[in-house]
């Protein structure tokens, strides 16, 4: 369906450190930005606890969402300028799809919650499902803005998030192996963490991107720019997203929320420190209104209160999270995994509850995934368009990408309290335990 929406009398711009200017030309985009649901994203960090490792990583889901919108806008402009549709079914760009694409890009992360991925793990929420609910629920300001465009507009925008929208070009702009979402978060996260290896040539990639009947492809002349993007993504996952300290803080956050949930049944209803905004989640009886009341600041406020809790585990974990006292960790493999029960025994002997003070955490990423007919779920692969118009999949022609295709890169780590690595020569009741524990660690690895 075609949707038309009035343009602003004069376009509005947002100054951006990564994309320079973000241009808003449609009234509906400005109205969506000004909704309370979208403004909430200012209060949710894009990288969650990673700011404990990379102190510059204070940027929000708000800034990322604007960035994804802007990159999508640039893609639409390029498609309209160079590949406008001439007749139905020609596989070129129909600019009547622009408004759906722009709104979906802007709203793609609106369902993210406080410390989103850890929160999802504990309470069983799903940010993509909640994104769709925010878009389609008549109770939200977002839905009220979208509904002014047309009765089915909100549903169409939600279907882009759900990957069921009828136009694959629009879906792949927002969600594919080289999309506006990934391109913005890589550049933005690299900028804010200082990790320069996350940079790639966005301008060149947008230049060689083009629509076709199956979605979006890239001119073969731009292969090296796409290669660079894939390797940049690999480096960001290995060096930033999977950093052991960031994962350690996520482990502490996870265990802190689990402990609070366990204690919630016995909380004093008259206690001023009772986390009323979290109670619906502890009980598993929350709705969209409960969800939208939470942000990183709300959780941090509760954590500060919990430092004074009578429960020693809750108090200690809250202190470790708020005041950045990460767990330590060691890498292990199939040959050394059998040692973990023994390591847990040492930790227990040292006075720690292993339920809350140990964790096995694995972080693996697939840098690039080519089509496999044996898989149930397929990832949209990157197609390159050759001079004669035929397509070839990226890893078939790029030796660099082929080397990482289908390979899950990352590690498994065992997390434990830093105290277990104590080398203090003072008399300590647990010194013999520490020494036995440390015999099994060398060069950040678990050893026989």
């Amino acid at each position: 369906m075609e949707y038309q929406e009035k343009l602003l009398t004069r376009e509005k711009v947002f100054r951006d450190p990564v994309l320079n200017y973000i241009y808003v030309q449609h009234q509906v985009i400005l109205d969506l930005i000004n909704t309370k649901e979208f403004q909430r994203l200012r209060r949710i960090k894009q990288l969650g606890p990673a700011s404990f490792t990379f102190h510059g990583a204070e940027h929000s889901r708000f800034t990322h969402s604007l960035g994804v919108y802007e990159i999508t806008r640039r893609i639409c402009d390029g498609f309209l300028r160079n590949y406008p549709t001439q007749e139905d079914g020609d596989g070129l760009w129909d600019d009547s799809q622009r408004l759906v694409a722009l709104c979906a890009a802007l709203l793609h992360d609106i369902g993210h919650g406080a410390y989103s991925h850890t929160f999802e793990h504990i309470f069983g929420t799903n940010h993509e499902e909640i994104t769709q609910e925010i878009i389609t629920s008549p109770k939200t300001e977002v839905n009220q803005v979208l509904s002014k465009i047309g009765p089915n507009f909100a549903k169409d925008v939600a279907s882009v998030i759900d990957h069921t929208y009828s136009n694959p070009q629009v879906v792949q702009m927002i969600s594919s192996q080289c999309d506006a979402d990934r391109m913005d978060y890589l550049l933005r996260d690299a900028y804010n963490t200082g990790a320069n290896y996350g940079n790639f040539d966005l301008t060149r990639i947008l230049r060689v991107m083009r629509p076709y009947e199956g979605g979006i492809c890239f001119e073969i002349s731009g292969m090296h720019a796409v290669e660079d993007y894939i390797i940049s993504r690999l480096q960001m996952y290995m060096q930033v997203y999977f950093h052991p300290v960031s994962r350690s803080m996520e482990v502490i956050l996870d265990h802190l929320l689990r402990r609070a949930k366990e204690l919630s049944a016995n909380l004093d209803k008259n206690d001023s420190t009772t986390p009323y905004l979290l109670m619906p989640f502890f009980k598993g009886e929350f709705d969209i209104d409960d969800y939208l009341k939470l942000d990183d600041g709300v959780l941090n406020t509760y954590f500060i209160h919990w430092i004074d809790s009578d429960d020693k585990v809750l108090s200690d974990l809250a202190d470790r999270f708020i005041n950045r006292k990460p767990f330590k960790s060691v890498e292990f493999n199939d040959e050394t995994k059998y040692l973990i029960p023994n390591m847990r025994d040492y930790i227990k002997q040292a006075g720690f509850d292993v339920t809350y003070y140990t964790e096995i955490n694995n972080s693996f990423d697939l840098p690039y995934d080519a089509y496999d007919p044996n898989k149930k779920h397929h990832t949209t692969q990157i197609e390159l368009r050759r001079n004669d118009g035929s397509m070839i999949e990226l890893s078939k022609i790029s030796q660099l990408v082929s080397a990482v295709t289908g390979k899950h890169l990352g590690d498994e780590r065992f997390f434990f309290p830093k105290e277990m690595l104590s080398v203090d020569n003072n008399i300590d009741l647990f010194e013999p335990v520490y020494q036995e524990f440390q015999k099994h660690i060398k060069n950040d690895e678990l050893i026989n």
Side-chain angles (χ1 to χ4, degrees), residues 24 40 54 67-68 80 97 111 122 154 182 219 248 280 287 304 325 327 334 347 362 364 374 406 410:
V24 174
R40 180 186 69 99
F54 303 93
V68 176
L80 177 62
Q97 300 290 311
I122 298 293
R182 294 188 186 197
E219 296 285 0
S248 167
D287 59 23
I304 291 169
K325 300 175 182 178
F327 287 161
D334 289 342
I347 293 168
N362 60 70
F364 290 93
N374 297 316

Side-chain angles (χ1 to χ4, degrees), residues 1 16 34 45 72 173 210 222 341 375 377 435 437:
M1 181 176 177
D16 187 77
N34 288 329
K45 289 180 182 177
T72 302
M173 280 185 199
R210 61 173 293 161
K375 285 185 179 179
H377 301 290
Q435 291 175 358
F437 182 88

Side-chain angles (χ1 to χ4, degrees), residues 133-344:
E133 184 175 354
I134 292 170
I135 290 171
T136 58
S137 171
K139 296 192 299 181
T140 67
E141 291 182 4
V142 163
N143 178 263
Q144 292 160 20
V145 169
L146 295 173
S147 295
K148 292 177 182 177
I149 306 299
N152 295 316
F153 186 63
K155 185 177 179 181
D156 282 345
V157 172
S159 71
V160 178
I161 310 298
D162 193 35
H163 304 169
T164 58
Y165 188 62
S166 58
N167 187 318
Q169 295 165 356
V170 174
V171 174
Q172 289 178 30
M173 280 185 199
I174 318 299
S175 181
S176 63
Q177 291 199 79
C178 188
D179 57 34
D181 178 24
R182 294 188 186 197
M183 287 191 282
D184 182 81
Y185 77 62
L186 289 176
L187 292 174
R188 196 166 299 279
D189 295 350
Y191 175 86
N192 286 283
T193 59
N196 290 330
Y197 37 67
N199 291 318
F200 58 90
D201 193 346
L202 173 66
T203 303
R204 178 63 175 158
I205 287 180
L206 298 187
R207 179 70 182 167
V208 300
M209 183 183 285
R210 61 173 293 161
Y212 78 111
E213 62 274 10
I216 290 175
C217 64
F218 301 83
E219 296 285 0
I220 200 164
S221 60
M223 182 188 75
H224 297 300
V226 179
E227 279 181 333
D228 186 37
Y229 155 81
I230 295 291
I231 300 305
S232 293
R233 183 175 181 274
L234 164 65
Q235 293 282 18
M236 286 295 288
Y237 270 86
M238 296 301 105
Q239 304 297 329
V240 175
Y241 306 137
F242 293 166
H243 194 287
V245 175
S246 300
R247 288 158 62 186
S248 167
M249 297 306 291
E250 287 179 2
V251 166
I252 292 173
L253 175 61
D254 178 280
H255 291 189
L256 172 59
L257 288 170
R258 286 185 185 278
R259 184 62 172 178
K261 183 178 180 181
E262 181 181 309
L263 298 171
S264 63
N266 300 318
L267 287 175
D268 182 353
K269 300 299 185 292
N270 297 315
D271 188 340
S272 62
T273 63
T274 296
Y276 291 105
L277 296 180
L278 281 174
M279 295 305 285
F281 299 91
F282 290 152
K283 296 177 181 178
E285 301 171 351
F286 62 92
D287 59 23
I288 193 67
D289 291 331
D290 297 320
Y291 189 85
L292 292 172
K293 288 176 183 175
L294 298 182
D295 55 44
D296 292 358
V298 170
L299 291 192
N300 287 342
T301 300
Y302 286 138
F303 299 162
I304 291 169
H305 280 302
W306 293 346
I307 291 175
D308 297 323
S309 170
D310 292 335
D311 183 83
K312 298 303 182 185
V313 172
L314 185 69
S315 171
D316 183 62
L317 292 175
D319 176 60
R320 287 174 189 261
F321 186 78
I322 288 294
N323 296 312
R324 195 194 179 278
K325 300 175 182 178
F327 287 161
K328 288 292 186 179
S329 66
V330 289
E331 191 174 346
F332 66 91
N333 54 39
D334 289 342
E335 294 180 0
T336 55
K337 189 173 184 176
Y338 79 95
L339 291 168
I340 290 178
N342 294 336
M343 301 297 276
R344 281 200 166 111

